[in-house]
Amino acid sequence: MRRKTGARLGLSALLLMATCAGTGLAPTAAAAPKPQPPASTALLDAMQRDLGLTPAAARERLADERAAVKTERAARKAAGAAYGGAWFDAERGRLTVAVTRRQAAADVRETGADVRLVRHSAAALDAAKARLDKLDAPADVASWHVDPKANRVVVDVVAGHLDDNDVSSFLRSARATAPVRVATVPEGPRTFAAGTVGGDPYYTGNVRCSIGFSVHGGFVTAGHCGRAGASVRGWDGSAMGTFQGSSFPGDDYAYVSIGHGWWTVPVVLGWGTIPDQLVRGSAEAPVGASICRSGSTTKWHCGRLLAKNETVNYSDGTVVHQLTKTSVCAQGGDSGGSFISGDQAQGVTSGGWGNCSSGGETWYQPVNEILGRYGLRLHTA
């Protein structure tokens, strides 16, 4: 996003202890280290809120857990090949260690752990799970893991699907290769990343910009937001993708490929001002048409399309050609965001002047030029 300064347009894209023996000097006592708090205030507050603990109980829980970590290390060493895993009992504040041989039990108890005799060692259970990892699981088999307390590999199945043919087949194969216990879960797991939605923020370095439009394989945005090879983080800070191509100045467009659990969505955010808008194509709107913009700073704003094929000279001396001018306002961080007319993608925000309090003008890079430059296909509904 760009801003005017005087008659020019400005870039606004958000973008010891020492031993003294033998020295003839009297040793100096080191200051006692300050006691470290058991946890940050924020962690203690979260434990009280989410676990229903009092402040004293939260501190006690943390102390017990720190002790259990040390006990587990010692108990694993004492058990040797008989080690069957361990688990912490929060109610009792105690660690229990499973062993496969009675002879190992006494040595483990000496470490301060409680002991349970089991059939399968931890190594055997890990090997059994590795065999399950080689099976093809249907969608309604949600997960599987080693449970030391159950001394089994627990397979979680989505509730209501235990009797499905593909699930039953998987469970038969699982039971043939490992000691299995089946449990149910309310629904299948999913990633917590999000689709690439027009107007949503993304980050590269210390710059925040906005997604323009989803294309198959990623999204298009403004070139001044990042150079080819730059890494991109999503709205939640997680790894999102990489700039595969970027052109600025002269042009102001870029293509970002995505991965890490992100996917493309043919949607532009309405930010609650209007319903989110589906993108159905990229037919070019005429001068004088109404047009709207979605961006991560100022959200959803509309105006008119004022001119096409305009050359813009930004205040830092960069020049961009073939931009389209609008009466829509924008501010820093809106760069790269979506310009849409009806359900037709128009372009990605380049720069402008003014703001969304006093008004202004904004230019966009037409989307069809970007698609043609990189051989991309717009993701449409």
Side-chain angles (χ1 to χ4, degrees), residues 70-219:
K70 295 179 180 179
T71 300
E72 196 276 335
R73 285 197 293 263
R76 181 190 287 264
K77 184 176 180 180
Y83 180 74
W87 60 95
F88 178 72
D89 186 331
E91 295 299 320
R92 298 171 54 242
R94 298 279 298 174
L95 182 78
T96 299
V97 174
V99 296
T100 58
R101 296 196 306 269
R102 292 186 184 278
Q103 298 92 318
D107 291 337
V108 171
R109 285 194 182 93
E110 287 183 2
T111 68
D114 295 337
V115 177
R116 180 181 295 182
L117 192 65
V118 297
R119 179 177 179 182
H120 306 289
S121 70
L125 290 173
D126 288 341
K129 179 189 172 294
R131 293 192 292 273
L132 262 68
D133 290 343
K134 297 178 181 179
L135 301 178
D136 291 328
D140 293 311
V141 174
S143 63
W144 52 94
H145 66 281
V146 170
D147 183 344
K149 191 172 183 179
N151 200 229
R152 293 284 188 276
V153 178
V154 175
V155 178
D156 288 332
V157 176
V158 178
H161 294 275
L162 275 172
D163 296 327
D164 291 0
N165 289 336
D166 54 353
V167 172
S168 296
S169 177
F170 177 87
L171 292 177
R172 284 195 297 272
S173 298
R175 289 185 174 111
T177 192
V180 164
R181 190 185 80 180
V182 178
T184 59
V185 292
E187 58 182 279
R190 57 185 174 84
T191 62
F192 288 114
T196 55
V197 180
D200 240 350
Y202 69 89
Y203 301 85
T204 178
N206 61 354
V207 172
R208 171 171 59 84
C209 281
S210 300
I211 292 170
F213 295 94
S214 286
V215 296
H216 291 275
F219 63 88

Side-chain angles (χ1 to χ4, degrees), residues 322-372:
Q322 297 179 320
L323 296 183
T324 299
K325 181 166 66 176
T326 74
S327 64
V328 185
C329 68
Q331 294 176 200
D334 288 329
S335 282
S338 326
F339 267 90
I340 188 169
S341 181
D343 58 6
Q344 299 296 304
Q346 298 299 307
V348 301
T349 304
S350 175
W353 60 268
N355 56 54
C356 287
S357 296
S358 60
E361 293 178 342
T362 303
W363 284 258
Y364 65 78
Q365 176 80 63
V367 69
N368 287 330
E369 182 180 354
I370 312 172
L371 300 177

